[in-house]
Amino acid sequence: MESKKTIHILLFILTFFTLTYSDIFLNPQVPQTLENYKLMFFENWPYSVSLLFILFAHEMGHYLPARHYGVKATLPYFIPLPVGPIGTMGAVIQIKQQIPDKKVLFDIGIGGPTASLILSVIAWLVGISLSKVIEIPPDFDRSGFLFFGDSLFTYFTTQWILGPIDLSTMDIQAHPLAKAGWVGLLITAVNLLPFGQLDGGHVIYSMFGEKYRNWIHRLFVFFLIFALIHFTWLLWGFIIYYVVKIEHPFIRDSASGIGKFRFYFGAAMLVTFLIIFVPKPIILGSEFEDSSLLIDIFRLITHNFGLDS
């Protein structure tokens, strides 16, 4: 037992370091000096600490309901990623026994994204209010930089708090807290994808039961359209199809169902997913002005039908 606790603690510490130093570690453009590592620590620790807190709250949102229902679960395993720009692949807990029914499944599944959503929204709003808008020189070369994409939520809240902003001539110097909120929202959105044993898969299966197997594969095909916007979603399509799986394993119904409150709460969370979903999460500076494959197809169709005049 002690050795397992040691693993949890070690992964937590390693994740703190990869979050803090992801922009400098193994980066040939930054001198690997002690002074640079000190500067990076004082610059990035608000990002590391706040994102670790968001990830921990997400996993506790699963762990505590599991313990409440007597379902055995592990403590969180944090997943360090020593390369940028995020520095982690999130965190997971492992359920060690069969979940008894769909009502319990719903409560365990929805607790995580609810907790991380609330904290990520707070971190984002506070962080973006502390961020600065800077003008981009006309001859500025973006090719050596990475840019974070926008969801509906981040775009409109940025315009509301800092705007109006013309993103073709301006950029945002994001506060580390805003970056933590952005990453927390992205992780929450990915977890809310309604497939397999992702959190969204738990929720949507609990809501619609076995009938959902009649249409979940069509929903997955629709999701793959986002691969035409950004390659990230093609990678997630492979992960979902081969690892997470499209359909949820069978869980028996609860004697009293999940109830109206849980159903409407689940529906609200799935709508929230659409608001925080980022079509193009990471944008290379070299392709900042490039259109996506989906836009190229749309332009081709409109041109051929004479609709682009």
Side-chain angles (χ1 to χ4, degrees):
M1 179 63 71
E2 288 300 322
S3 62
K4 290 185 178 180
K5 287 183 179 179
T6 302
I7 292 174
H8 293 290
I9 295 171
L10 179 61
L11 288 174
F12 179 87
I13 294 172
L14 286 174
T15 303
F16 172 79
F17 281 111
T18 58
L19 288 170
T20 304
Y21 298 116
S22 60
D23 291 334
I24 187 174
F25 187 64
L26 299 179
N27 186 344
Q29 297 179 349
V30 180
Q32 303 294 298
T33 64
L34 180 60
E35 187 62 29
N36 278 340
Y37 274 87
K38 286 181 180 178
L39 291 172
M40 190 62 64
F41 176 85
F42 288 109
E43 180 179 331
N44 267 3
W45 75 261
Y47 166 69
S48 307
V49 172
S50 53
L51 185 55
L52 280 171
F53 189 69
I54 290 170
L55 294 174
F56 180 76
H58 182 107
E59 297 310 320
M60 286 297 101
H62 297 312
Y63 180 80
L64 294 178
R67 292 297 300 268
H68 172 74
Y69 287 110
V71 177
K72 293 181 180 179
T74 67
L75 292 169
Y77 291 95
F78 290 84
I79 307 174
L81 186 65
V83 292
I86 292 174
T88 182
M89 293 186 67
V92 296
I93 67 169
Q94 184 180 6
I95 302 296
K96 304 290 285 186
Q97 66 183 84
Q98 177 73 20
I99 295 175
D101 58 51
K102 290 187 177 71
K103 180 179 176 181
V104 176
L105 176 68
F106 180 92
D107 289 352
I108 293 174
I110 206 162
T114 301
S116 59
L117 175 66
I118 293 171
L119 293 179
S120 297
V121 166
I122 294 171
W124 169 259
L125 293 176
V126 174
I128 204 66
S129 67
L130 297 174
S131 301
K132 298 178 181 178
V133 178
I134 57 176
E135 289 201 21
I136 302 175
D139 57 347
F140 181 73
D141 182 10
R142 302 176 188 247
S143 60
F145 297 87
L146 294 175
F147 296 85
F148 288 160
D150 269 317
S151 63
L152 290 173
F153 174 76
T154 58
Y155 176 79
F156 284 110
T157 52
T158 299
Q159 293 292 344
W160 169 52
I161 294 173
L162 298 177
I165 302 171
D166 181 359
L167 293 176
S168 64
T169 60
M170 301 176 181
D171 194 18
I172 299 167
Q173 192 173 28
H175 188 275
L177 198 57
K179 182 180 177 182
W182 186 92
V183 174
L185 288 168
L186 176 66
I187 290 173
T188 301
V190 169
N191 275 280
L192 281 173
L193 287 170
F195 305 111
Q197 298 208 56
L198 292 170
D199 298 340
H202 297 325
V203 171
I204 203 167
Y205 175 59
S206 302
M207 291 169 62
F208 296 101
E210 301 307 318
K211 294 183 294 184
Y212 106 124
R213 302 187 192 279
N214 297 329
W215 45 264
I216 192 62
H217 286 270
R218 291 196 290 272
L219 185 61
F220 177 71
V221 172
F222 177 78
F223 162 73
L224 290 179
I225 292 175
F226 286 104
L228 300 175
I229 299 176
H230 199 261
F231 70 92
T232 300
W233 303 116
L234 179 62
L235 174 62
W236 271 105
F238 278 108
I239 293 173
I240 290 169
Y241 188 84
Y242 289 106
V243 181
V244 177
K245 306 300 182 182
I246 299 174
E247 294 188 28
H248 197 285
F250 174 79
I251 302 290
R252 69 179 179 86
D253 293 331
S254 171
S256 58
I258 68 169
K260 288 185 178 180
F261 175 80
R262 285 182 175 84
F263 185 89
Y264 290 129
F265 185 26
M269 287 297 289
L270 293 175
V271 170
T272 299
F273 160 78
L274 299 176
I275 299 172
I276 65 173
F277 180 78
V278 187
K280 298 178 72 172
I282 305 293
I283 305 169
L284 297 174
S286 58
E287 61 182 21
F288 194 84
E289 302 295 337
D290 293 350
S291 59
S292 66
L293 179 57
L294 183 62
I295 293 176
D296 289 340
I297 293 173
F298 176 77
R299 287 174 177 168
L300 181 62
I301 293 172
T302 55
H303 176 74
N304 288 339
F305 284 91
L307 301 175
D308 55 350
S309 57

